[in-house]
Amino acid sequence: MKILVTGASGFIGSHLCEQLLQDENHNVIGLDAYIKSSTPVKARKHNLAHLLHHPRFTFIKQDLLKTNWENLLPNIDIVYHLAGIPGVRSSWGKDFKTYIKNNIEATQQLLEGCRQFPVKKFIYASTSSVYGEKTGQVNEAATTEPLSPYGVSKLTGEQLCKVYAHNDNVPVVILRFFTVYGPRQRPDMAFHRFINHIMQNKPITIYGDGNQTRDFTYVKDCVTAIAAAATAEGIIGQTINIGGKERASVLECISIIEEIFGTKVERQFMGKAYGEPRHTWADISKAQSLLGYEPQTDLRQGLRAEIIDICNNPSL
Ligand code: UGA
């Protein structure tokens, strides 16, 4: 199959390209505009560098809002739409403009393209942030009540997918990721920040009391599920949670990182971050039945891999 991955240089996008290329039947076109975001361009170029010479991989530097679809979409079987501006805490104030442009307008333009040049599947990368505050395990039928402008932008993207599915039969699948971590994690995310600060012997900042929990999902597990969506049957029109193997609180994760480093770190408690749910917890039964998904990596293994990656690339 010929597969387009938007946001190919990003944390999850670059792992997804790698995962898809493991299947000899796939040719992958990775598209990215290197738009300014939390991850420096240098790090995003590094994420993709090892794939640039792969015989079944093509990279296109291209902004979705300036793309001529007839040059790109004919012959594409599957679109994975991962491009966008991520991050819950940075979506407030004037910065929301960039979320509107890159998460909402760009998604609508890509859907317009897929209306004109039909594909077999349009897989949209969404987020647990669309749910808002929930108690217990959350399944896909739960109400969507995002708490942050970021969550609103991603939920709007989902709604646009549904609009184009309804009116133009764009074959949409929505995947909701839960706090993904591992090698190449974005530098604004908790684990990357904690690891960097420990390495620099600086105190770490904890938002709120640190007892908030996340359904942390290891990136290799996440992309295994995403890649399975390419060939899975009967998933068009579905929304599917992709959660991890282990839920934990921020404080528990810090203790694991300290154990791996064999050192203690100073904690600075800050006010609670705006717009964050206290807990996230995915019901992954749909992913299990529709994608054959079973997360494999526990926090200790996953954090160890992320620490090794950061130690090996200190200049990124
Ligand atoms: C992450 C991603 O950043 C979003 O792009 C994604 O869509 C979202 O997951 C999701 O699953 O919906 P978040 O859960 O905030 O968002 O991920 P982290 O940055 O890893 O934060 C995890 C927890 O650590 C949060 O409660 C946060 O407040 C806390 N944290 C973060 C700190 O206590 N200190 C820090 O320095 C950073």
Side-chain angles (χ1 to χ4, degrees):
M1 278 190 283
K2 203 157 181 194
I3 300 178
L4 174 68
V5 177
T6 74
S9 80
F11 162 43
I12 303 175
S14 61
H15 282 281
L16 175 62
C17 291
E18 235 172 68
Q19 179 74 26
L20 290 167
L21 288 165
Q22 283 182 17
D23 185 330
E24 288 185 0
N25 299 310
H26 294 333
N27 285 285
V28 177
I29 298 178
L31 186 137
D32 207 295
Y34 292 128
I35 286 166
K36 190 172 171 287
S37 75
S38 56
T39 309
V41 171
K42 186 181 169 193
R44 272 139 74 203
K45 289 192 167 161
H46 172 86
N47 288 349
L48 271 189
H50 62 296
L51 292 182
L52 293 180
H53 301 292
H54 193 290
R56 287 180 283 108
F57 182 74
T58 310
F59 178 71
I60 303 177
K61 183 172 180 296
Q62 180 74 56
D63 186 333
L64 288 174
L65 288 169
K66 295 180 188 146
T67 300
N68 190 348
W69 302 118
E70 66 194 30
N71 295 338
L72 184 67
L73 289 176
N75 307 319
I76 293 285
D77 296 301
I78 294 185
V79 171
Y80 280 105
H81 180 38
L82 275 69
I85 303 294
V88 178
R89 294 177 289 281
S90 50
S91 62
W92 300 94
K94 286 191 179 151
D95 290 342
F96 187 53
K97 261 193 214 148
T98 169
Y99 287 76
I100 294 174
K101 186 172 168 210
N102 296 294
N103 295 0
I104 301 176
E105 291 177 21
T107 299
Q108 188 261 349
Q109 284 302 300
L110 180 57
L111 286 160
E112 280 289 330
C114 292
R115 171 163 86 154
Q116 290 168 50
F117 302 98
V119 294
K120 294 189 179 112
K121 268 181 205 159
F122 182 101
I123 299 166
Y124 174 72
S126 189
T127 159
S128 70
S129 297
V130 300
Y131 288 117
E133 198 67 78
K134 295 281 185 282
T135 44
Q137 233 172 341
V138 173
N139 73 27
E140 296 82 352
T143 50
T144 45
E145 298 161 305
L147 300 175
S148 63
Y150 164 71
V152 170
S153 75
K154 292 301 289 182
L155 181 59
T156 307
E158 284 195 10
Q159 293 299 129
L160 283 165
C161 288
K162 290 178 183 170
V163 165
Y164 281 81
H166 178 82
N167 291 290
D168 300 292
N169 294 318
V170 175
V172 165
V173 180
I174 294 167
L175 304 180
R176 291 181 179 154
F177 308 148
F178 283 67
T179 312
V180 184
Y181 75 102
R184 301 183 212 145
Q185 192 189 40
R186 300 189 334 255
D188 61 302
M189 292 185 72
F191 294 167
H192 196 137
R193 285 169 59 86
F194 297 156
I195 294 164
N196 257 342
H197 283 215
I198 291 189
M199 285 168 63
Q200 292 166 35
N201 221 357
K202 289 201 302 209
I204 55 170
T205 51
I206 298 171
Y207 299 125
D209 62 8
N211 288 314
Q212 67 269 41
T213 62
R214 290 288 176 274
D215 196 335
F216 291 104
T217 308
Y218 187 62
V219 65
K220 289 281 176 205
D221 287 332
C222 182
V223 297
T224 302
I226 311 174
T231 47
E233 289 181 6
I235 62 167
I236 288 167
Q238 295 288 341
T239 298
I240 306 172
N241 285 341
I242 310 295
K245 187 175 167 77
E246 214 179 338
R247 260 177 79 235
S249 72
V250 168
L251 291 178
E252 286 165 340
C253 296
I254 293 169
S255 298
I256 298 175
I257 296 172
E258 286 180 328
E259 270 172 47
I260 297 172
F261 274 102
T263 181
K264 286 275 173 204
V265 60
E266 189 187 327
R267 293 145 165 77
Q268 273 178 356
F269 287 88
M270 321 292 280
K272 180 187 175 299
Y274 274 140
E276 292 195 351
R278 178 108 175 119
H279 302 292
T280 66
W281 187 6
D283 177 340
I284 58 164
S285 35
K286 247 174 129 177
Q288 287 169 318
S289 63
L290 294 175
L291 303 175
Y293 175 56
E294 209 51 68
Q296 303 290 327
T297 315
D298 64 30
L299 267 168
R300 194 167 295 272
Q301 289 170 297
L303 278 167
R304 195 176 283 279
E306 180 163 345
I307 289 169
I308 290 170
D309 177 58
I310 295 175
C311 289
N312 285 341
N313 299 287
S315 61
L316 290 177

